[in-house]
Structure formats: structure tokens, C-alpha cells
Amino acid sequence: MENPRSKPIAAPTDSPSLRTRLSTLLRGLYPELDPLALTGEVIAAFWPDARPRRQRPRRPSNNLWSERDALVITYGNSIIDGQHKPLDLLLDFVEGNLKGAVNGVHILPFFPYTSDDGFAVTDYYKVDPTLGDWPDIARIGSEFMLMSDMVLNHVSSQGTWFNDYRQGKAPFDRFFMEASPEDDLSAVVRPRTTPLLREVDTTMGPRHVWCTFSHDQVDLDFRNPAVLLEILRILRFHIDQGVRIIRLDAVAFVWKIPGSPSIHLPQTHAIVKLMRVLADFATEKVILLTETNVPKAENLSYFGRRDEAHMVYNFPLPPLVLHAVLAGNVKYLRRWLRTMPPAPLGCAYFNFSASHDGIGMRPVEGILPQDEIGQMITAVQDAGGLVSMRSLPGGAQAPYEINCTYFDAMSRTFAGDEALKIPRFLCSQTVVMSLEGIPAFYLHSLIATPNDHEAVTRRGMNRAINRHRWHYPDLREALADPASDQAQVLGEMQRRLKIRARQAAFHPNATQLTLQIDDRLLGVWRQSLDRHQSIFALHNVSAESIELDAYDLNLIDDEDWRDLLTNEAIIADGVIPMAPYQCRWITNTG
């Protein structure tokens, strides 16, 4: 395994602030160890060979991102042709179809793996050879802001690390979380229904290892500082390859204590804080994004006090937008938006509607009533979607996620309407573009991919329904047909994203107020940081035509207002017509 290890080297110009912050966190994590010595090891792991770092930390500000930022989320092999490297095809597609619409690419785990479509990593220092190699990743990173996954909770049970653990080889003999079947593990929060512990034979005798997600994904033991140091070496290696946004996958579970829920523990937050310190002192602009598919308060806790993640996933957004559009009513989405605090200075929300996983249901616990969740699940199942369950303490089960492409989830409303699927879908995506935060779009949403039932049957996994692999010639043929779903959706998504990128009022931290108007309309007011531009973003989530009194928006009389999406003039004291599923961005400039 290629491993850029180096001997601990303390640069003579280290900032006292850097060492103080690190040693304070390390003292809390590993009280039995010398924090000063461990601080030196952390610095050497993240900055090998005494390479330069900032003398002062990067201060929280709104300058890490702008209204021009939007990302596409994709697997490295979502586009294939059997001849060229998938990463080259991905770059060709994004350059040819999304330039100017998105400026960032999140490539889901592109490492060698054994299961879970990349999230059971066997070697963090290599690129899966079926996709390409590091120069192919670097080419994408040279054209787009590159985001990658740090799968830091677990590794593959078939990788070198776990094989060495089973053979008792140092240092990996202490790399994995062990527990006893006699331990009280009843409170452990689980995202899966498989048994938590797996018994394995080792040279030390039988051991029970902790597997939060699957028995092929064995949890690392961060109580051993050597694990943390190795993860930091990997982070540095990826940054050196051009990665600038690091998605901390399943971060909520990294620290475990039998007898506790083993989620969101103080030690977990301390590890995120430590990584934030390193990012703040890095010469590269590194952004940390935490992936925590949990209820709102737990999710927002990863902002810390502006000292943890730069960005957090806005996980309630996908199910709430889906519910609003299928129900034709924004009651619950609007109520949630009104309770969402602005992101702290130096932080931002990561907004999305669809991802490689399903539409998570845990984030709407306490937001959507059970009967509304039931209607949503029924509607999506009627459209060919699936549901995955999770285990609850005591043995019961509850819906964990809906498995369906977001495009096909829009096939029919609660009322059974099947018409206007494309306008309904575009409305849902425009909501994501309009809200405070940085928008990201799953590739299969951008190109209106239908459910892949054959993949579910072939792979025996619900999530495969939303992980189709397009044959590039077929995709190009579909996009060349202006009547196809793919051409219609991609063309309009491109147009709206390019318009959005020019509006200062859509800066990720621009002011946002939720409007109390017709229950069929989601309205938000955005104002640029310099207060020069206002945008009233309106979204008709219903199949009905609506007339909105412009007076309800409080448009200033002596300014000229127009809809960015249609270029229509809007009269401040007139009526604003809204066709079914129509969206408007009404602005005073732009």
C-alpha cells in the first residue's frame, strides 16, 4: 500500500495557536497520553516533511463560497461505454453539458472496495482501476472544485488493514472496535437491521468486531490515536491530489462506548473540531462537510460554535420538498424553513434533493406526521419506489429511507395525478436552487434517470434503483432528442442554474426570510450581502393556477421588478399569475 508516512517533524515556525488548539483537543480525546507529543505527531501526519502552513488560522467569513457555487454528485462510473475510462467520460460529460451551470463535482468513493458501492474501502491511497487513476481525478480537480469522501468510520473486512488485524500484525491489531456480546448494546443507534457485532477468528482467538453498517464494513477504533493519525495522513494525501471539499461520511458514529447510543458523542465532535483546526491552518482552501442523516438539532450540532464543519447536509430538505410537491401544499416545508436558523458565519447549508442513497426519513421525525409520511411512501411505491427499514431499540423497525429516483418519485401526486411530471420535478429542483446554502444535484436528477428495477433484482439491494449506469452513446442519443425527458430536464436545469450563478442574492449566506402566503406557494425572500439585490423566489407546488397579489410581497414601488426566469416585468401593485408548478425569481436587479 502506498502510504506517505513521514517521521514527526516539528516546523520551527509553528503557530503557538495551532499547537495550543490541537493539544487541548487531544488532551480531551486521549487523557492518558502526552498531549504535546501527540500534537507533534498530528502536525507531522497532516503536514509531512515540515511543509508550510498558515501562521494564523483562517477566520470564519462568507468568502469560502459564492452564488456561483453548485455541485453535481455522481459515481465515477455513472457513465460508461466499455471502451474509455469512466472518469474520462465523466469529465467529458460535465465539461460538455454542465460548464457554467455547476462548478463543483462530488465523486462518490472512487477507491478500491468490496461492497456498498464504494463505502467498504480496501485502500484509501488508490483509485479503483476500473475507473481510472489519480491523474484522471486530478484532471477533474483542475477544471472543477473537487469533493471526495473520507469514509472514516469503517473499512472493508477484506482489505489489508483488517487482514493484518486478524493476523495480529501491528499497528492494525488495535485498529478495530471490539465489543463483547455480554455488553449492553441495546441503546446503540443503528441505521441498519443487521446484527451489530460480527464474530471473527484471529490469531489472538475469537473476537467480536463492531459493524455499524454491514459485516463487510468493520468500524475503526478511534480510541487508538494511531487510527486518527492514519486518517489524517489520508486526508493530506487527498488534499495533495486536488480535493478541496472533504465529505466526512458517517462521522456521527466514529466514537463508540458500550452502554451509550454511540452516536454524536463528545469525542466525535472533538475529532471534527481537530480536523477543522487543521483545515483552518492549511494553506489550501479546505472545506469540511459532515454527513449526518439525523434529525435537525443533531445535524446542526456539527456546526459547533463555528469550530466544526464548514457545511452540513440539509437532510430534511429532500423528504420535505417531495412531500410538498406530492401534497400540493407547503405547510410542513414552510414551517420547517421558518424554524431553520441562518448558518453561522463561516458556515453554510449543503442543499440537495437526491443523492446516491435513498430519501432519508429520520430527518423528518417530529416534522411530518405519520399519516403524511404514510401517504408519501404509498405514492412513491405506486410509482415503483421501494422502502428500506432500520432497527429500533427493542427490535421494532421503522422506515429509514425511500428508495426511488427523485424524477420517478414525482410520477404521481397524493391525489393520483400523473400529468405535469416534468414541471413538478423542475419545481422541486428550483426550490433547492433558491434556498440559503450551496445547491448540489445528483447526476441522475440532472438527466431525469428513471428507476432501475433490473439493477435491484441483479444486485439484491434497494439502493441500486437510484444508481443506474448510463451507456454513454444511449445518453447522448437521449439528450439529442429534444422531446426526451433527459433533454427537457437537463436543458432547463442548465438554464436556471446559469441564471442563478449571476445573482448576488443567491449567495449561500444571503439573507433569507420565508413568506407567509398561499399554502400552495413556497415563497422566500433573499437579499444580497450588500443589500443591493432582492429576489422573491416563488414556487407553485400544486397542479392549480394561482393568482398572487403582488402587494403580498411588499415590492418597493419605485424599483423595476422582473422575473429572471421569464424576463417578464412585474408590477408592484398588480397580480402575479402562477401556472401549475411554475417558479418565479422576481428581482429588482440582475
Side-chain angles (χ1 to χ4, degrees):
M1 177 188 296
E2 296 178 14
N3 187 336
R5 295 175 180 269
S6 63
K7 296 180 180 179
I9 301 175
T13 57
D14 277 339
S15 165
S17 175
L18 169 62
R19 288 184 168 271
T20 298
R21 295 181 189 201
L22 291 176
S23 62
T24 299
L25 291 166
L26 292 168
R27 185 178 293 111
L29 284 168
Y30 307 107
E32 72 284 1
L33 300 179
D34 179 354
L36 296 181
L38 191 52
T39 294
E41 292 186 69
V42 166
I43 290 174
F46 195 72
W47 288 290
D49 306 318
R51 64 181 67 186
R53 46 268 197 187
R54 295 170 60 94
Q55 286 304 296
R56 294 181 179 179
R58 191 174 282 104
R59 298 297 183 185
S61 74
N62 295 324
N63 299 325
L64 284 175
W65 35 68
S66 77
E67 60 274 11
R68 294 182 297 277
D69 292 326
L71 287 86
V72 57
I73 305 166
T74 180
Y75 279 104
N77 60 357
S78 290
I79 301 174
I80 57 176
D81 68 359
Q83 299 179 19
H84 301 89
K85 290 183 288 187
L87 288 174
D88 284 346
L89 297 179
L90 174 61
L91 179 59
D92 182 78
F93 174 82
V94 176
E95 280 190 318
N97 295 277
L98 296 177
K99 201 82 170 181
V102 304
N103 67 345
V105 179
H106 172 201
I107 309 176
L108 290 155
F110 46 77
F111 318 107
Y113 71 98
T114 54
S115 64
D116 200 17
D117 282 346
F119 287 91
V121 178
T122 61
D123 193 336
Y124 294 94
Y125 292 104
K126 293 181 179 178
V127 174
D128 182 347
T130 66
L131 302 178
D133 209 338
W134 283 113
D136 307 306
I137 296 290
R139 275 193 294 275
I140 296 173
S142 68
E143 298 292 329
F144 296 89
M145 180 170 52
L146 182 60
M147 174 171 156
S148 74
D149 291 270
M150 181 66 256
V151 187
L152 74 169
N153 179 70
H154 49 261
V155 299
S156 170
S157 69
Q158 302 170 60
T160 303
W161 289 11
F162 194 63
N163 286 335
D164 284 354
Y165 160 80
R166 296 182 69 172
Q167 295 174 37
K169 294 182 179 178
F172 302 105
D173 56 335
R174 296 179 54 244
F175 258 47
F176 293 91
M177 181 70 187
E178 298 178 352
S180 167
E182 305 303 316
D183 292 334
D184 180 8
L185 304 176
S186 61
V188 173
V189 173
R190 298 293 313 287
R192 299 290 187 273
T193 58
T194 54
L196 177 62
L197 299 184
R198 173 191 172 187
E199 184 176 0
V200 295
D201 293 324
T202 75
T203 56
M204 301 87 71
R207 293 287 188 272
H208 289 87
V209 291
W210 194 296
C211 301
T212 297
F213 289 88
S214 80
H215 283 187
D216 189 39
Q217 294 164 293
V218 187
D219 288 28
L220 295 167
D221 188 355
F222 279 84
R223 297 175 303 176
N224 175 5
V227 173
L228 174 64
L229 292 172
E230 187 59 27
I231 292 296
L232 296 181
R233 293 185 189 100
I234 293 165
L235 287 181
R236 165 48 58 189
F237 179 70
H238 291 179
I239 293 167
D240 289 346
Q241 307 307 310
V243 173
R244 290 298 175 265
I245 304 178
I246 298 169
R247 177 182 184 269
L248 299 178
D249 176 70
V251 64
F253 301 97
V254 297
W255 200 281
K256 295 92 174 166
I257 299 177
S260 80
S262 295
I263 186 172
H264 314 310
L265 295 182
Q267 295 91 336
T268 294
H269 285 280
I271 288 173
V272 178
K273 289 178 182 179
L274 184 143
M275 292 180 177
R276 175 64 179 263
V277 170
L278 297 175
D280 285 345
F281 278 90
T283 56
E284 306 87 354
K285 186 175 76 173
V286 177
I287 294 172
L288 300 179
L289 168 63
T290 48
E291 185 266 333
T292 51
N293 191 355
V294 292
K296 182 182 79 172
E298 300 170 39
N299 189 35
L300 296 184
S301 72
Y302 285 88
F303 280 142
R305 297 184 176 180
R306 303 187 307 177
D307 59 353
E308 293 190 40
H310 297 91
M311 297 193 293
V312 300
Y313 273 85
N314 220 341
F315 274 110
L317 194 57
L320 286 175
V321 170
L322 176 62
H323 175 271
V325 177
L326 296 188
N329 188 299
V330 301
K331 174 183 175 182
Y332 297 103
L333 172 59
R334 182 174 60 206
R335 180 184 297 168
W336 168 75
L337 275 176
R338 290 172 70 90
T339 65
M340 284 294 288
L345 181 67
C347 301
Y349 293 113
F350 190 76
N351 294 330
F352 70 111
S353 64
S355 72
H356 62 291
D357 289 337
I359 301 166
M361 300 309 296
R362 282 212 67 206
V364 291
E365 292 174 3
I367 300 176
L368 281 179
Q370 286 301 315
D371 60 333
E372 298 290 335
I373 291 175
Q375 285 192 78
M376 186 162 59
I377 289 175
T378 297
V380 174
Q381 287 178 324
D382 287 346
L386 306 170
V387 178
S388 294
M389 310 298 286
R390 69 181 181 95
S391 295
L392 299 176
Q397 295 188 355
Y400 179 67
E401 65 185 18
I402 294 173
N403 302 108
C404 187
T405 70
Y406 217 78
F407 181 66
D408 270 2
M410 297 289 161
S411 295
R412 57 190 297 139
T413 67
F414 288 177
D417 296 332
E418 296 184 359
L420 303 176
K421 177 179 179 180
I422 289 179
R424 188 157 52 240
F425 175 74
L426 289 170
C427 176
S428 74
Q429 302 307 292
T430 307
V431 170
V432 176
M433 298 182 202
S434 302
L435 300 180
E436 175 194 343
I438 297 172
F441 302 90
Y442 192 36
L443 177 68
H444 293 302
S445 291
L446 290 170
I447 54 179
T449 303
N451 286 330
D452 191 339
H453 291 285
E454 185 278 330
V456 175
T457 301
R458 173 168 44 85
R459 304 183 62 197
M461 179 176 67
N462 282 359
R463 285 179 168 178
I465 199 170
N466 193 28
R467 299 179 181 180
H468 180 70
R469 294 176 184 172
W470 276 95
H471 186 53
Y472 203 15
D474 294 341
L475 177 57
R476 290 171 124 171
E477 182 180 352
L479 293 175
D481 177 5
S484 72
D485 292 345
Q486 288 67 42
Q488 291 183 66
V489 168
L490 180 59
E492 187 58 20
M493 290 288 286
Q494 288 173 322
R495 188 181 77 87
R496 296 186 188 191
L497 282 166
K498 288 178 180 179
I499 292 172
R500 181 192 182 280
R502 300 193 296 269
Q503 314 309 318
F506 282 142
H507 184 284
N509 300 114
T511 298
Q512 174 174 297
L513 290 177
T514 307
L515 307 178
Q516 188 71 36
I517 50 178
D518 192 300
D519 283 348
R520 297 166 294 177
L521 293 175
L522 178 68
V524 294
W525 174 64
R526 304 295 308 278
Q527 186 182 56
S528 59
L529 296 174
D530 63 7
R531 298 190 177 185
H532 182 60
Q533 183 186 29
S534 287
I535 293 179
F536 290 89
L538 306 175
H539 317 81
N540 182 0
V541 302
S542 78
E544 302 170 11
S545 296
I546 300 172
E547 288 191 345
L548 176 68
D549 191 335
Y551 179 79
D552 292 338
L553 301 184
N554 294 324
L555 302 181
I556 299 173
D557 280 333
D558 58 356
E559 294 190 356
D560 293 326
W561 296 90
R562 66 185 179 90
D563 180 0
L564 291 165
L565 296 178
T566 65
N567 209 30
E568 295 175 70
I570 302 296
I571 307 303
D573 59 355
V575 171
I576 303 172
M578 299 286 295
Y581 303 111
Q582 183 177 4
C583 300
R584 290 187 183 274
W585 288 338
I586 299 171
T587 187
N588 58 341
T589 184

